[in-house]
Amino acid sequence: MSQALLAGLARTTRPQSAVRRFLALDAVVTGANGIAYLAASGPLGELLGVDAGLLLELGLFLTAFAAGVAWLASRPQPPALAVKLVVDANVIWAVLSVVALVAWLEPTTAGLLWTPAQAATVAGFAGLQWAALRAAAR
């Protein structure tokens, strides 16, 4: 990813600020998703065709993960290793979402649309975070 594109997306020319902004955006989106799964696992489970218990567990995980990512984003200079772990977790989430869709989930049409959309969003966060981290290391 070019420096200019990365700076435009992050709305800053400072790579360290870009890392923090992409982490913060990830935390907000992931936290909102986790809270939604916690608060409405039953109705969302019916809408998506996913077991409500699974959504509740995912909601707990996502909310805790988002809190950790938010804390990392609040650091003046997030440690590179911690950012790499967030990137790795996001890649694993995106891959497992697609695998689950193909291997064992039996989603509704909404679930069939939602699952790859959220996987692509999470993969996008991973890509942006990785590019910003690389730029910050230079």
Side-chain angles (χ1 to χ4, degrees):
M1 183 173 297
S2 78
Q3 284 290 100
L5 178 59
L6 190 63
L9 290 171
R11 303 185 61 85
T12 180
T13 56
R14 296 180 46 222
Q16 197 60 47
S17 293
V19 171
R20 294 178 63 220
R21 287 180 183 185
F22 292 137
L23 288 169
L25 181 60
D26 186 354
V28 168
V29 172
T30 300
N33 198 30
I35 290 168
Y37 287 175
L38 284 172
S41 58
L44 285 174
E46 287 181 31
L47 175 68
L48 301 173
V50 177
D51 180 70
L54 175 61
L55 282 183
L56 187 64
E57 291 171 5
L58 290 174
L60 288 168
F61 170 77
L62 291 174
T63 303
F65 182 77
V69 175
W71 178 84
L72 192 58
S74 74
R75 305 293 88 198
Q77 189 164 351
L81 178 59
V83 176
K84 288 177 186 176
L85 290 173
V86 170
V87 170
D88 289 347
N90 282 339
V91 169
I92 290 167
W93 178 274
V95 170
L96 285 178
S97 293
V98 174
V99 168
L101 186 62
V102 172
W104 67 80
L105 291 179
E106 295 178 12
T108 61
T109 301
L112 195 57
L113 296 171
W114 172 253
T115 303
Q118 63 83 31
T121 300
V122 172
F125 286 143
L128 291 169
Q129 291 159 349
W130 180 250
L133 185 61
R134 289 186 62 207
R138 285 188 222 129

